[in-house]
Amino acid sequence: MRTRSLLTFAVAAALAAVACGPPQPGTSPQAGTPGSLASLTIGAHPTPLPAAIRQAVPLGTAGAATEVYLNLGLKGRDPGRLAALLAAGQTVTPAEYASQFGPDPTHVKAAVDLLKARGFRVTWSPGSALIAVDGPAPAAASLLHVAINNYRLADGTTFYASLDQPVIPPQLVAIVNNVTGLDNYTKAFSHAVHPGGLTPTDTLAFYNLAPLRNQGLDGSGQTVVLPEIDNLPNLNDLDKFAAKFGLPPFGPILTIKRDASWGAPEAPAGETVMDLEIIHEIAPSAKLVIYLAGPQLALADRAMDQMVTDHLGAIISDSIGQCEAGVGSGHRNLVASIEDRAVAQGMSHFVASGDLGAFGCGDGKTPSVDFPSALPNITAVGGTTAFQAINGTYFKEMAWSGPIEAAGTGGGASRYYAIPAYQKIVAQSAGHGMRQVPDVAGDADPASGFSFIFLGRSGQGGGTSAAAPLWAGTTALINQDLKKKGLREAGFANPALYWMGQNSSKLPAPPFHDVTSGNNLANDAGPGWDFATGWGSMDAAALDQAWILYIKGGGA
């Protein structure tokens, strides 16, 4: 998959000790103390791969005992017509995408046959953007003409990696355009918690979701799909949460997808539980499907690709990401291809913008955004600190910033992607003509986070990993209302969101809470769009009205 966005948890010491458990490869857990912010890192090691290799003890050439999980990114068909379709905001069914734009099945079959003859285990689904190729390191090294070595870090973590540029065999050039999976070092992140938090009733009141629910909108007929890399301990936490807040049980609406080729997820860390509970409190009748995968990029990409191929739901809630600067071009191109397919199939994709403020790489020196939130065809969700009025309704928000913890809402300019057409209306000089992050925001500060239950205990969850499911759950209600009115569903959200931001004063009510104070450790929030909170958080009832007007008007 891609990697997990920084999810932060601050919990009572006893809960933190249980939640963290023994360190896993590439993981640096730190037990929290009551009221503190403890950063629990799941993969996505802060040291870049080349530096990690320099610091590690070489263990020699990776032998047959080292299993390598490769993804071969595939060339699609008719890219010009696909680009025109996306630019026009049109959509196709998964079957239409596979037949018109997906990889050529004849070329894929030839590639699969060759790879199997070379001794690899090979998997491909029609329309998929990748071929999953598993096998021993020597076979992978021979296939791609690279050296793959094993290494050990000072903390005992071992990993395999190659810094060589892979050479695609001539027999595969017709269909393969990139390769990922030549290391299992870069993984994914998680974020913060302490007792209390916004209850479901608080959330409905604060973001003006209650009027939608009072209209009978509860997510019925909608499905939210979630890529996840930490396991569910069991369903007890979810059942306890539902019972505590008078919500329907999770059993009838939750599906858990696993596959051996996606690897094993990390031990339960609370991210998956929190994502599900936030969506469920907003859209309690929406179906939820989680795709559990290992944190290694190649494995998680496979689950993400299958999620788009299955197309079980039109909304993706995604709390996964990593420093954009640390992502290789092969991985970026593969994920962009998968995302093009999601957009073409009418899916809305909300991604956490990261929790290290303007410094997504964690060094506090070089500004960087997170990937995949930097992709122009994804909706990046930043974070705020929420302040309730005495009666529990909206009072104000500030951009989430934790300078002591070096935490805060992710935002800034991409280093790889040009500013998309929909965003040029808010082009900032500091963006230098590049994609600007985030697009919107929601409560993310652990100090004002969401009430949730994990390992049987109540806690308070934060991070932009909480803001993404907030937007996904809200979109489930909006989609339900759009369908009731005979209109198309939201699909790729950004063209509509930027139209709303530009035309806010002409709408019946402002769809966004414009966040004008606070910062993300480098960029200040201000009137209108900004690098800390985008357009701001939602007023859900006004957002629903605006979306109806946008679609009835034929789009921007």
Side-chain angles (χ1 to χ4, degrees):
M1 135 175 121
R2 300 97 36 139
T3 61
R4 182 177 292 274
S5 140
L6 191 64
L7 161 75
T8 310
F9 285 109
V11 292
L15 179 56
V18 173
C20 296
Q24 301 295 315
T27 304
S28 304
Q30 302 170 5
T33 55
S36 73
L37 281 176
S39 178
L40 173 60
T41 303
I42 302 180
H45 202 287
T47 305
L49 176 60
I53 288 176
R54 290 194 297 271
Q55 297 168 11
V57 175
L59 301 179
T61 301
T66 299
E67 190 81 354
V68 173
Y69 304 96
L70 301 174
N71 290 331
L72 304 186
L74 304 178
K75 298 176 182 178
R77 289 171 289 177
D78 209 345
R81 191 160 66 91
L82 174 60
L85 179 138
L86 296 176
Q90 298 174 348
T91 61
V92 294
T93 66
E96 289 170 336
Y97 185 94
S99 64
Q100 298 175 36
F101 305 114
D104 186 320
T106 302
H107 287 318
V108 174
K109 183 180 184 304
V112 168
D113 290 344
L114 171 68
L115 293 165
K116 287 182 176 178
R118 297 286 291 266
F120 292 100
R121 299 187 306 280
V122 185
T123 305
W124 181 72
S125 300
S128 171
L130 63 84
I131 300 175
V133 182
D134 300 340
S142 174
L143 176 74
L144 300 171
H145 299 284
V146 297
I148 303 176
N149 298 302
N150 285 326
Y151 300 90
R152 183 178 65 242
L153 295 172
D155 64 1
T157 299
T158 59
F159 63 95
Y160 69 80
S162 174
L163 290 179
D164 297 334
Q165 185 66 30
V167 177
I168 298 172
Q171 305 95 310
L172 301 180
V173 167
I175 189 64
V176 175
N177 59 7
N178 59 70
V179 179
T180 62
L182 282 172
D183 78 87
N184 68 341
Y185 171 80
T186 307
K187 297 182 184 175
F189 267 127
S190 250
H191 276 44
V193 179
H194 49 87
L198 295 177
T199 66
T201 300
D202 292 331
T203 302
L204 296 183
F206 191 81
Y207 286 115
N208 204 24
L209 286 149
L212 301 183
R213 292 286 295 279
N214 291 340
Q215 294 173 34
L217 301 175
D218 59 3
S220 294
Q222 294 296 308
T223 300
V224 182
V225 294
L226 304 91
E228 299 287 0
I229 61 171
D230 76 295
N231 216 337
L232 278 174
N234 49 55
L235 297 185
N236 292 343
D237 290 334
L238 303 179
D239 291 340
K240 187 173 181 179
F241 179 85
K244 178 178 179 179
F245 294 111
L247 297 167
F250 277 84
I253 55 98
L254 176 63
T255 301
I256 302 172
K257 295 275 191 177
R258 304 174 188 265
D259 190 281
S261 70
W262 306 343
E266 296 278 3
E271 171 64 52
T272 302
V273 167
M274 185 170 69
D275 289 348
L276 293 172
E277 291 177 356
I278 290 173
I279 295 169
H280 192 56
E281 70 185 55
I282 296 169
S285 293
K287 294 186 182 299
L288 301 168
V289 184
I290 59 173
Y291 285 70
L292 287 172
Q296 292 86 355
L297 297 185
L299 300 178
D301 281 345
R302 295 175 184 181
M304 182 68 184
D305 180 75
Q306 189 62 51
M307 186 176 73
V308 175
T309 298
D310 291 346
H311 196 16
L312 298 178
I315 304 167
I316 304 172
S317 177
D318 191 343
S319 298
I320 294 168
Q322 72 176 125
C323 157
E324 184 193 39
V327 179
S329 61
H331 176 61
R332 286 188 285 107
N333 293 340
L334 176 59
V335 175
S337 175
I338 295 171
E339 189 57 29
D340 279 345
R341 184 155 50 108
V343 173
Q345 293 174 184
M347 302 178 80
S348 304
H349 191 168
F350 298 95
V351 180
S353 70
D355 297 354
L356 297 178
F359 306 99
C361 296
D363 59 9
K365 301 174 184 176
T366 307
S368 177
V369 296
D370 263 22
F371 182 86
S373 68
L375 282 171
N377 53 5
I378 268 176
T379 302
V381 184
T384 67
T385 300
F387 297 85
Q388 290 176 283
I390 293 175
N391 65 356
T393 57
Y394 190 88
F395 177 55
K396 69 174 183 178
E397 287 171 281
M398 298 175 61
W400 170 40
S401 178
I404 295 176
E405 304 86 19
T409 172
S414 169
R415 65 172 57 192
Y416 299 118
Y417 301 104
I419 190 168
Y422 63 77
Q423 202 172 47
K424 290 182 178 178
I425 58 173
V426 294
Q428 309 284 307
S429 59
H432 304 293
M434 306 304 283
R435 157 72 159 139
Q436 300 174 172
V437 175
D439 300 302
V440 289
D443 184 21
D445 188 342
S448 65
F450 297 84
S451 177
F452 83 124
I453 293 176
F454 176 54
L455 298 180
R457 300 279 297 277
S458 295
Q460 180 167 320
T464 53
S465 297
L470 169 70
W471 273 86
T474 301
T475 303
L477 302 187
I478 292 173
N479 272 356
Q480 183 184 2
D481 198 25
L482 292 171
K483 289 182 71 175
K484 276 180 60 177
K485 292 176 169 59
L487 301 172
R488 69 165 177 85
E489 294 181 338
F492 176 43
N494 286 8
L497 296 174
Y498 281 79
W499 176 87
M500 293 176 203
Q502 186 180 24
N503 295 281
S504 180
S505 63
K506 304 174 187 176
L507 297 172
F512 305 118
H513 298 128
D514 190 6
V515 180
T516 59
S517 61
N519 61 74
N520 70 345
L521 307 180
N523 305 297
D524 292 331
W529 188 96
D530 57 66
F531 282 113
T533 61
W535 288 109
S537 67
M538 88 280 285
D539 177 309
L543 186 73
D544 180 60
Q545 287 182 304
W547 225 305
I548 292 169
L549 290 174
Y550 174 80
I551 293 177
K552 281 185 173 179

